[in-house]
Amino acid sequence: MKHVSILIPETAVIEAIADPRYLFTAVNEFLQASGKLPLFKVELVAMTKEVRLNNSLFSVHADKLLHEVEHTDLIFVPAISGNVGYAMEANEALIPWIVKQHAKGAEVASLCLGAFILAATGLLNGRKCSTHWLFANQFREMFPDVELVDGSIITDAQGLYSSGGANSYWNLLLYLVEKFTDRDTAILAAKYFAIDIDRESQLAFMMFQGQKGHEDAKIKKAQEFIDGNYQERITVDQLADMLALGRRSFERRFKSATKNTVIEYIQRVKIEAAKRSFESSRKNITEVMFDVGYTDTKSFRDVFKKITGLTPIEYRNKYHKAAPVLQV
C-alpha cells in the first residue's frame, strides 16, 4: 500500500488539500469496485493538530503530526496563498521534514505555489519545476538555481513533481494516479472528476507581466520603449543605439535583467497586445496582425502559437464571445 501524506501548510489553499485527498480516496473506491485491493493510505499531516485557514473561516484537522510520520511514499505540498514571504516563514518547519522523508525514499509533489516550499528544500536545485505563471518572476528571483519551465502544467524531475497554476494541479494528480495504478484507472478518474486528461500547457492562460522587477535603469528604459511602440518594427540595434550601448553588452544585460532575450521580449509584448485585441474586439486575424507590427501571416501565426499554445483563430474562438442578440 502506498502511503500518501498531504501536508497542511499555514495559509494553504484549502482546495489543494481537499482535492488530492478526495481523488486518491476515490481511486481506492474505483479499485475496490473492480475487485482489487485499495492502494493508497491517505493522511493529512501538519505541524499542529488543527490548522486554521482563510482568517479562521476553515479549520483542517491533521491525522498525524510531522514527528509521528515514520515513513511515507508520496508527499503533497499544497498551494499557499497570500504573501509568499510570510507563508515561507510560517511553514519553515516543513522544509527539514520534507528533506528527511525524501532522503528515506519519499517522492514529493508540489501543487501550484507549493513549489516555493519545495524549492526552499534545495531538492530542486539544477532541476525543472512548474508553478503559477503569475509568480514566475518572483520564483526565479528567490530560486535562481531551479529551472522554472514557462507554460508547463507538469514537471517530473526524478520523483520531484510540480504543477502549474491553480486548477492545473488536477492534471498532476491524474498523472500520479496513472503512474501508481494504470492508464484505465486514470481515465476513469478523469471522467469521474470531469478533468481534461493529458493537458500539458498553461500557455493559453498566461498573461505577460513585463518583468520589470530589476534595478537596471537602462534596460527598464528599453522595456518601456518596447511596451509603448510594439506596433512598430523594433530592432535590437535600434534599442542598443538609443541607450548608447554596444549590441552584445545590451543583449547580455537585457537577458540578465528580464530572463528573456530582446527578441523574445518584443515578441511577448506584441502577442500580449494581440491577445487583448482578440478578446475584446471584432477585428479579424489580419487586422490584429498589422496592429501589433507583423506583416507576415506565417511568422505571426508561428510566434503566436509558440507563446500561447494556440493558433490565433483558436485563441479568438476560445476567448472572444460575441455580444448577445437582444430580443424585442
Side-chain angles (χ1 to χ4, degrees), residues 220-272:
K220 282 185 180 178
K221 184 177 179 180
Q223 290 175 272
E224 289 165 0
F225 182 86
I226 296 168
D227 296 347
N229 297 274
Y230 63 82
Q231 306 93 335
E232 309 298 329
R233 182 176 181 273
I234 304 170
T235 67
V236 177
D237 287 332
Q238 174 188 358
L239 293 169
D241 290 344
M242 181 182 74
L243 300 175
L245 292 173
R247 175 173 176 141
R248 295 180 68 178
S249 175
F250 170 60
E251 289 182 310
R252 176 182 53 77
R253 284 172 60 171
F254 196 99
K255 180 67 181 287
S256 176
T258 69
K259 306 302 184 290
N260 280 135
T261 67
V262 183
I263 298 301
E264 287 170 346
Y265 188 91
I266 293 171
Q267 289 175 340
R268 294 186 70 175
V269 170
K270 287 177 178 289
I271 297 306
E272 192 64 30

Side-chain angles (χ1 to χ4, degrees), residues 115-269:
F116 280 80
I117 293 177
L118 178 54
T121 65
L123 297 174
L124 285 173
N125 288 354
R127 296 179 175 178
K128 294 181 179 181
C129 178
S130 298
T131 191
H132 197 299
W133 58 265
L134 185 60
F135 294 82
N137 292 344
Q138 185 175 2
F139 186 93
R140 286 190 173 99
E141 290 172 6
M142 292 180 66
F143 306 107
D145 295 328
V146 180
E147 183 184 348
L148 187 64
V149 184
D150 280 329
S152 179
I153 281 189
I154 298 171
T155 56
D156 179 347
Q158 298 174 315
L160 297 172
Y161 311 95
S162 54
S163 73
N167 286 334
S168 64
Y169 64 65
W170 276 100
N171 292 93
L172 175 56
L173 298 180
L174 291 176
Y175 176 85
L176 292 171
V177 167
E178 180 173 355
K179 178 172 182 176
F180 291 121
T181 59
D182 52 42
R183 180 69 174 179
D184 290 342
T185 304
I187 291 173
L188 175 58
K191 291 180 176 180
Y192 182 85
F193 288 97
I195 303 298
D196 185 11
I197 197 169
D198 291 337
R199 189 164 61 93
E200 297 178 347
S201 175
Q202 59 177 336
L203 288 173
F205 306 109
M206 295 175 67
M207 297 170 62
F208 186 53
Q209 300 297 301
Q211 299 158 324
K212 296 186 177 72
H214 58 84
E215 302 302 323
D216 194 324
K218 286 198 170 186
I219 298 306
K220 282 185 180 178
K221 184 177 179 180
Q223 290 175 272
E224 289 165 0
F225 182 86
I226 296 168
D227 296 347
N229 297 274
Y230 63 82
Q231 306 93 335
E232 309 298 329
R233 182 176 181 273
I234 304 170
T235 67
V236 177
D237 287 332
Q238 174 188 358
L239 293 169
D241 290 344
M242 181 182 74
L243 300 175
L245 292 173
R247 175 173 176 141
R248 295 180 68 178
S249 175
F250 170 60
E251 289 182 310
R252 176 182 53 77
R253 284 172 60 171
F254 196 99
K255 180 67 181 287
S256 176
T258 69
K259 306 302 184 290
N260 280 135
T261 67
V262 183
I263 298 301
E264 287 170 346
Y265 188 91
I266 293 171
Q267 289 175 340
R268 294 186 70 175
V269 170

Side-chain angles (χ1 to χ4, degrees), residues 7 77 94-102 108 117 121 123:
L7 294 177
V77 186
L94 298 179
I95 293 170
W97 183 85
I98 294 171
V99 173
K100 179 181 177 181
Q101 292 296 331
H102 179 262
V108 189
I117 293 177
T121 65
L123 297 174

Side-chain angles (χ1 to χ4, degrees), residues 61-81:
H61 296 267
D63 298 307
K64 284 188 176 180
L65 298 179
L66 295 177
H67 70 271
E68 295 175 329
V69 179
E70 294 184 6
H71 170 78
T72 189
D73 297 298
L74 177 62
I75 300 166
F76 280 106
V77 186
I80 51 178
S81 62

